Amino acid sequence: MNILLVGSGGREHALAWALSASDLCDTLYCAPGNAGIESCATLVDLKDTDVDGLVQFATDNAINLVVIGPEAPLVAGLSDALRAKGIDVFGPSQAAAQLEGSKGFMKDLCKEFDIPTAAYERFTDIEKAEAYIRDMGAPIVIKADGLAAGKGVIVAMELDEALEAARDMLSGNAFGDSGSSIVVEEFMDGEELSFFALADGHGILPLTSAQDHKRAFDGDKGPNTGGMGAYSPARLMSQDLHDKIMTRIIEPTVRGMKERGMPYTGVLYAGLMIVDGEPSLIEYNARFGDPECQVLMMRLQADLAEILQAGAQGRLSEIADKVHWSEDVAMCVVMATNGYPQSYPKNTPINGLDEANNSEGVVVFHAGTAKDGDQIVSIGGRVLGVTAKGASVAEAQERAYAAVDKIDWPDGFCRRDIGWRAL
Ligand code: AMP
Ligand code: GLY
């Protein structure tokens, strides 16, 4: 197969690393990729949302399978445009990607198909929203309906904060159109866990769990980020919880999407709140998580190209028996540029990457990197995902931080406590 991978982050480096190891993969292309992905794929200079350009490239280069990493091209309709040309795609259609793209859509699906989730109402009118918020009281959660780069959720501990968030969103000041409709929902108090499954329109292949660390600083302090580190499997995971997540959440979702005439093909990334052992759906993402994908790929013992092709072709049941996971724990420590998630410098030099990469059980995945001559430089907020495998959380953590310490990057920082809940 010739495979085109779309995206440029740490998630895509992990996918490229796994895809390029497949015997089924002849040529792997990545658009636009990064300096790390270059070591396992041919880079293509096209933006991930350049739908016409990507379709043209896939047609011209006899691409057999397109794997879409991030959400923006999904929401832009890249899958639909490729499928219209008869090209196999791993990733949901624009309509199905609403599971991530519209919080209201996802909540309504939960209501219709009896999927456990926080109680909610949808509003476009500020007076009605205010009345509901006052009625429910704080803590309460206010969410912009559309995509808002991970910033569209306000968990308000005080009533005033909730009212202000609702006004900011509905006035269009906070997130433009993405906030012209909001979801107001009940606050859930529990522990978060991410669960991943693949769907092929009707069939489902459960993958495994991970736990992300969204705050910028140690002790879960500081601003929210795209994710500062992850480990897999998650601390709370058990067979009992796995079964509940599958039967109560993942299976009815795939059934519901099919019934709605928008069968779901791709990754279902369920953000879950576990309250007293019972899972409740916080949100869906229509893609792998970043950095959760990095730890999943480290533990996967199967041919990723074969799995994703089967997913794209509606044949997941045929390959389910071949998919196994290492008993090891994998941990990813994200290194970000000083200042992230606010403003940060660019083109800062990074050294010591080979030493780190050669450490036992370690792979350094690149996210926001580029080459300046022979020098690797940072060009983004989240820049590296130092990922290690070990027999326990403690061993994976020790290996990951030993590798982090070999990286010479004065302009970067990382959290020092990834995996703390499990330890
Ligand atoms: P989301 O983008 O929907 O995943 O929300 C971002 C974060 O807000 C989640 O990871 C949770 O930490 C928090 N959150 C969202 N909804 C709720 C809720 N109903 N109760 C408590 N925390 C929530
Ligand atoms: N790490 C969170 C995400 O990918 O959305």
Side-chain angles (χ1 to χ4, degrees):
M1 277 192 271
N2 295 320
I3 304 177
L4 171 62
L5 171 66
V6 177
S8 62
R11 163 184 50 216
E12 286 75 29
H13 191 185
L15 293 172
W17 177 76
L19 287 170
S20 65
S22 164
D23 290 336
L24 297 172
C25 180
D26 293 317
T27 307
L28 175 65
Y29 297 95
C30 184
N34 63 41
I37 296 175
E38 205 178 330
S39 63
C40 46
T42 303
L43 300 191
V44 179
D45 189 16
L46 289 170
K47 275 199 188 145
D48 65 4
T49 49
D50 180 357
V51 174
D52 292 342
L54 291 164
V55 171
Q56 189 67 48
F57 179 87
T59 315
D60 291 347
N61 291 277
I63 297 295
N64 306 99
L65 174 68
V66 179
V67 177
I68 304 177
E71 61 276 25
L74 298 170
V75 172
L78 179 59
S79 309
D80 309 75
L82 289 160
R83 285 198 187 101
K85 296 278 182 194
I87 299 167
D88 284 339
V89 188
F90 186 80
S93 65
Q94 193 174 38
Q98 285 181 87
L99 261 191
E100 171 164 1
S102 165
K103 306 247 183 225
F105 176 91
M106 171 246 146
K107 297 294 285 190
D108 289 351
L109 187 90
C110 287
K111 192 180 270 177
E112 186 177 344
F113 294 92
D114 230 356
I115 297 167
T117 192
Y120 76 104
E121 288 292 335
R122 300 177 69 173
F123 297 97
T124 52
D125 179 277
I126 185 61
E127 269 147 42
K128 288 182 185 149
E130 282 188 9
Y132 181 76
I133 292 167
R134 286 184 202 283
D135 198 34
M136 299 284 287
I140 192 162
V141 183
I142 316 293
K143 301 185 172 185
D145 185 78
L147 292 178
K151 301 192 179 84
V153 173
I154 303 293
V155 179
M157 289 298 152
E158 308 292 339
L159 194 60
D160 283 346
E161 190 190 354
L163 293 168
E164 193 184 319
R167 281 183 213 121
D168 278 352
M169 289 183 195
L170 284 174
S171 66
N173 289 341
F175 307 109
D177 262 3
S178 284
S180 60
S181 171
I182 63 171
V183 169
V184 179
E185 71 178 38
E186 165 202 6
F187 171 79
M188 295 187 288
D189 198 5
E191 182 168 334
E192 284 180 63
L193 172 156
S194 304
F195 187 83
F196 299 85
L198 305 185
D200 65 9
H202 50 97
I204 304 171
L205 178 71
L207 301 179
T208 183
S209 62
Q211 200 164 40
D212 192 10
H213 298 63
K214 292 219 170 119
R215 300 298 193 101
F217 308 131
D218 285 16
D220 288 336
K221 303 254 161 54
N224 258 317
T225 70
M228 293 300 292
Y231 70 97
S232 170
R235 181 183 84 95
L236 291 176
M237 209 55 205
S238 63
Q239 189 59 50
D240 177 53
L241 186 56
H242 176 107
D243 295 344
K244 285 176 181 167
I245 293 169
M246 285 303 293
T247 54
R248 296 180 192 172
I249 296 175
I250 306 289
E251 287 167 12
T253 298
V254 174
R255 203 165 55 236
M257 292 298 284
K258 200 175 159 200
E259 274 183 34
R260 285 196 170 189
M262 38 186 95
Y264 192 92
T265 296
V267 183
L268 277 174
Y269 158 0
L272 303 166
M273 190 72 86
I274 314 299
V275 186
D276 301 327
E278 305 298 322
S280 186
L281 182 66
I282 301 175
E283 63 158 353
Y284 268 127
N285 294 305
R287 52 180 175 79
F288 280 109
D290 186 344
E292 293 94 322
C293 186
Q294 289 84 316
V295 289
L296 261 51
M297 291 305 115
M298 287 287 270
R299 291 188 55 230
L300 178 67
Q301 293 177 325
D303 184 326
L304 184 67
E306 185 180 20
I307 297 172
L308 300 187
Q309 185 186 41
Q313 296 177 343
R315 301 185 288 104
L316 280 178
S317 62
E318 288 176 23
I319 54 108
D321 290 347
K322 295 191 191 172
V323 180
H324 303 283
W325 298 92
S326 164
E327 297 284 316
D328 281 348
V329 173
M331 180 177 294
C332 177
V333 176
V334 170
M335 297 186 75
T337 313
N338 289 334
Y340 173 80
Q342 277 93 35
S343 62
Y344 48 80
K346 282 195 176 163
N347 298 309
T348 63
I350 306 169
N351 292 302
L353 287 166
D354 289 340
E355 291 86 335
N357 220 358
N358 290 333
S359 313
E360 191 178 356
V362 170
V363 182
V364 178
F365 293 114
H366 289 225
T369 64
K371 270 189 178 158
D372 182 2
D374 284 337
Q375 177 66 53
I376 300 283
V377 296
S378 68
I379 55 162
R382 292 189 299 165
V383 173
L384 299 169
V386 181
T387 311
K389 245 170 40 163
S392 61
V393 180
E395 188 177 61
Q397 190 191 57
E398 195 183 300
R399 288 177 169 178
Y401 283 110
V404 163
D405 290 337
K406 291 181 184 162
I407 293 174
D408 172 18
W409 182 30
D411 295 285
F413 77 101
C414 66
R415 276 181 62 162
R416 284 276 159 187
D417 64 345
I418 302 304
W420 68 269
R421 282 179 197 277
L423 288 164

